[in-house]
Structures are given as C-alpha cells and as structure tokens.
Amino acid sequence: MSVFIAALAAFAITIIGIVSLRPVAVAVKLIDHPGGRKTHRGKVPVIGGLAMFVGIVFGLGTIEPLKPFAGSLLAAFALVVAVGLLDDRFGLSPWLRLPAQAAIAALLTVGTGTEVSSIGDAFGVGVVQFHGITEHVITILFVITAINAVNMLDGMDGLAGTVAIVAVTALGLCGAVTGHHDVTAVCAVLAASITAFLIFNLPVRSNRRMRCFMGDAGSTLLGVALAWICIRVSQDGSTPTLSPVSTLWIVGIPIFEFFWTFFRRIARGRSPLEADAEHFHHLLLKAGFGIRGAFMMFLTITLVLTLSGLVLDAFKVPEYWSLALLLLAGVVVISVMYQARLLLRFFPQSARRRRAWRNMSLPAHEPQLVETAAAPVTAQSE
C-alpha cells in the first residue's frame, strides 16, 4: 500500500509540476525553439525532466525501506537534473558534461553501495568478477554510458519515456517476484512519474496545446535511474533478480543506439560527441514513417527485446549464448533501421509520413530533416 501511495503521489506531483512550471519556463527562457536538427513546430517548454524529478522526490521520500540510501540516490538525481537544466538552457559543452557525469556516477555508486562486481559468465570462460578500483571504474563507465544512451534516444515525442517505462515496469515486476522490494518501489515511483510526463509528450493530437519536452534534464535523469536499477537487480549478492546480460536486453534499444552512434562517428573520422542526423528515429523518418509509425516501431522492438531477455533468463539460457543473441539482435535492429523503407508497405497509411521533408543547406557531413508544413505531431532533436 505504501508503494501504491508513493507512486500515486509521484504521478500527481509530476502533473502539477508540468502545469505550474510552464510560466516559469517562459520567464527563464527554458524553451525549445525549432531550427537546426530540431523539427518540431512552435516553442515548447523543457520542463518534463524537472517535473519528473520533483515527483520522484515526493514518491521515494515516503517509502521507509529506501531511507538508508534514499539521500544519496536523490542527491545523484538532483545533480544530474541540475546539469541537464543548465545544458537545456545554455548548451553546455560535452567536455563539461562528462566530468559532471563521472562525479554523479561516483556519488551514486559510493553513496548507495551499488557497484558492478560481476558480468556473469558472459564470455563462456567462467564468471567474470571485478574488485577494488576496477569495480569502481566499470560502474562509473556503465552509469555514464546509460546517461548518454538515453539522452541520444530522446529525439522524438514519447520515445525515451516509453522505452524507459517498459524497462522499469519489467524490472519492477521481476523485483516483486524475487522479493527485491526496494527495486520494486523505485520502479513503481519512476513508472508513475514517467506516465504523468507522457500524458504531455506522447505523439497524439490531444496534448498539443500542453505539450512539453523532458530535455536533457529528463533524459539524463532516466539514464541514471535505469543504470542504478539495472545494477541493483543484477548485482544484489548471491540472489540477483536477473543476470547482467538479461538486464541489457531490457535496455537494448538505447544500448544499440549508443554504441552504433559511437562507432559510426569514429569510423567516419568524427568526434563521437559531435551530433548528427543519423539516429534511429532520423532513419525511420527518412524512410517515410510518420511520427506515430516510428513510435510504434520503437515500441514493438522494445517489447520484443524485453520479452526475449526475460524468457532467456527464465529458461536459464547460458549467459554467453544470451550475449551472442543480443549482439545478433543489435545487428538486426540496426539493419532494419537502414532498410526501414522495405517494411513501410506492411504498415497502414496512418503510420506513414504525410508531410514533405527536405535537406537544408548544411555541410555535406550533416544532413538534416526539416518539416516544410505544419504537422500535428513532430520530432525533437538529440
């Protein structure tokens, strides 16, 4: 009952926060303007991340079992939201964000005692374990990766929030089944807060007048939260909720997006921190999918990957086989994104793009999608 009340509080406070923060966002110019790689229409308040954080604080603060580490967890959330808000408002350099993310990861791991001590038998050579400084470094790198992976995914209405809510729901249910009530509580509060945000961010016509974005404050908050939960469920003593590889299945889409983006940019001789217009959602829109069609494609892939990971874990498939299948799934997903036009025929007309898109006058290495007519639902940017 206490978890239900906490989730209800998080849901209500997030909605109140989104509504009440709109005039504040206008006053401090926390507004996302169209232009560049940003293809949305109109000026949209970037308040979703802050509102979700406030809702999460109220929700988690009411749960007694979380109090031993709730302070450190919420402190890490607060710092990542603060850095995200500064980035949303002023556009911070990646070289400024990375040290801040490392500090946040260190606070999260040390303050809550949550560390990556093992990746299981992921390579078929026995259980791989980490100790001492290696354990800390691996954990910090994992958290930084999660932060940036979700941030890269946040490029279209409803996308990052929906992927995150599927992940926390699956992880929370697994925690409930195995008796890991702290994980279940955190997941319930997160799911409630994200659901409230999605009321204002899903690609539907009914929310256009009150639409908001989560911004970097929201996407990085979700990245930190998912990293903490994944570590918690896979590293909890001798009885983890899921194997480390199984948790990667549940967050498969952001992982594939992050590593493919990283290696693609490096292979082309570009900085991995330099933004481009070749993320998965860009590829689907270029192929002819509408915003809703692209959203449904992402949702379908996310559900398939999540269910696959849970089934493989339930049937105790060796972790090295699970990892091999995950890598194969990654290749398939990336190939599908680049060949999405071939799949378009299997989607109804309502899932296809109705407006014309064209390339603007940009450097040859930076193609860009810009909408040429008003549309009821639109894409965001990285």
Side-chain angles (χ1 to χ4, degrees), residues 224-310:
V224 168
L226 284 173
W228 184 84
I229 295 169
C230 286
I231 296 172
R232 199 81 179 178
V233 300
S234 64
Q235 308 290 322
D236 189 10
S238 59
T239 57
T241 303
L242 293 171
S243 72
V245 176
S246 296
T247 62
L248 297 182
W249 279 92
I250 294 175
V251 291
I253 279 287
I255 286 177
F256 298 157
E257 174 82 82
F258 176 82
F259 283 104
W260 174 244
T261 299
F262 184 88
F263 290 120
R264 181 185 73 242
R265 291 172 180 171
I266 291 293
R268 294 177 179 176
R270 300 173 59 186
S271 167
L273 302 178
E274 182 183 352
D276 60 21
E278 204 171 325
H279 292 293
F280 290 164
H281 61 277
H282 290 132
L283 297 176
L284 291 179
L285 294 175
K286 289 178 183 179
F289 281 83
I291 300 298
R292 294 189 187 92
F295 174 81
M296 292 306 300
M297 173 75 87
F298 275 107
L299 178 59
T300 300
I301 294 174
T302 298
L303 290 173
V304 169
L305 291 173
T306 298
L307 290 174
S308 298
L310 295 178

Side-chain angles (χ1 to χ4, degrees), residues 345-377:
R345 71 184 73 174
F346 301 107
F347 284 76
Q349 192 66 37
S350 59
R352 304 180 188 184
R353 192 177 64 232
R354 295 182 179 181
R355 295 290 188 266
W357 296 68
R358 59 187 173 86
N359 287 335
M360 298 295 286
S361 298
L362 295 170
H365 64 279
E366 183 105 13
Q368 175 176 357
L369 291 174
V370 176
E371 195 172 21
T372 61
V377 288

Side-chain angles (χ1 to χ4, degrees), residues 47-347:
I47 52 177
L50 180 58
M52 284 193 292
F53 169 70
V54 175
I56 290 168
V57 169
F58 273 85
L60 295 185
T62 64
I63 301 176
E64 186 69 29
L66 299 181
K67 289 188 176 179
F69 55 80
S72 296
L73 184 62
L74 292 177
F77 288 176
L79 285 176
V80 78
V81 169
V83 174
L85 286 172
L86 289 173
D87 191 27
D88 290 327
R89 176 61 181 86
F90 301 106
L92 301 181
S93 164
W95 301 109
L96 289 176
R97 296 199 305 264
L98 282 175
Q101 291 170 3
I104 292 163
L107 172 62
L108 184 75
T109 57
V110 174
T112 66
T114 305
E115 296 177 328
V116 179
S117 58
S118 172
I119 56 172
D121 187 16
F123 304 110
V125 295
V127 175
V128 178
Q129 293 185 319
F130 306 110
H131 304 280
I133 189 65
T134 303
E135 189 176 36
H136 298 305
V137 171
I138 293 294
T139 305
I140 290 172
L141 289 176
F142 179 78
V143 175
I144 292 174
T145 299
I147 291 173
N148 289 283
V150 178
N151 181 242
M152 285 183 178
L153 192 66
D154 182 33
M156 194 178 73
D157 284 353
L159 181 52
T162 300
V163 170
I165 203 170
V166 170
V168 298
T169 300
L171 294 168
L173 290 174
C174 289
V177 170
T178 56
H180 291 74
H181 301 300
D182 58 339
V183 170
T184 302
V186 174
C187 287
V189 169
L190 279 169
S193 188
I194 297 168
T195 300
F197 165 73
L198 287 174
I199 293 174
F200 301 87
N201 189 249
L202 282 174
V204 294
R205 291 186 177 88
S206 59
N207 63 12
R208 294 303 91 184
R209 292 179 63 85
M210 290 294 290
R211 185 172 58 143
C212 71
F213 292 161
M214 68 169 64
D216 285 352
S219 61
T220 54
L221 170 63
L222 294 183
V224 168
L226 284 173
W228 184 84
I229 295 169
C230 286
I231 296 172
R232 199 81 179 178
V233 300
S234 64
Q235 308 290 322
D236 189 10
S238 59
T239 57
T241 303
L242 293 171
S243 72
V245 176
S246 296
T247 62
L248 297 182
W249 279 92
I250 294 175
V251 291
I253 279 287
I255 286 177
F256 298 157
E257 174 82 82
F258 176 82
F259 283 104
W260 174 244
T261 299
F262 184 88
F263 290 120
R264 181 185 73 242
R265 291 172 180 171
I266 291 293
R268 294 177 179 176
R270 300 173 59 186
S271 167
L273 302 178
E274 182 183 352
D276 60 21
E278 204 171 325
H279 292 293
F280 290 164
H281 61 277
H282 290 132
L283 297 176
L284 291 179
L285 294 175
K286 289 178 183 179
F289 281 83
I291 300 298
R292 294 189 187 92
F295 174 81
M296 292 306 300
M297 173 75 87
F298 275 107
L299 178 59
T300 300
I301 294 174
T302 298
L303 290 173
V304 169
L305 291 173
T306 298
L307 290 174
S308 298
L310 295 178
V311 169
L312 290 171
D313 191 85
F315 283 92
K316 306 298 181 185
V317 173
E319 291 172 287
Y320 51 88
W321 278 113
S322 182
L323 179 60
L325 291 172
L326 179 64
L327 295 175
L328 177 61
V331 173
V332 172
V333 168
I334 293 169
S335 300
V336 165
M337 295 300 172
Y338 279 91
Q339 302 298 324
R341 187 178 297 275
L342 300 178
L343 299 177
L344 195 60
R345 71 184 73 174
F346 301 107
F347 284 76

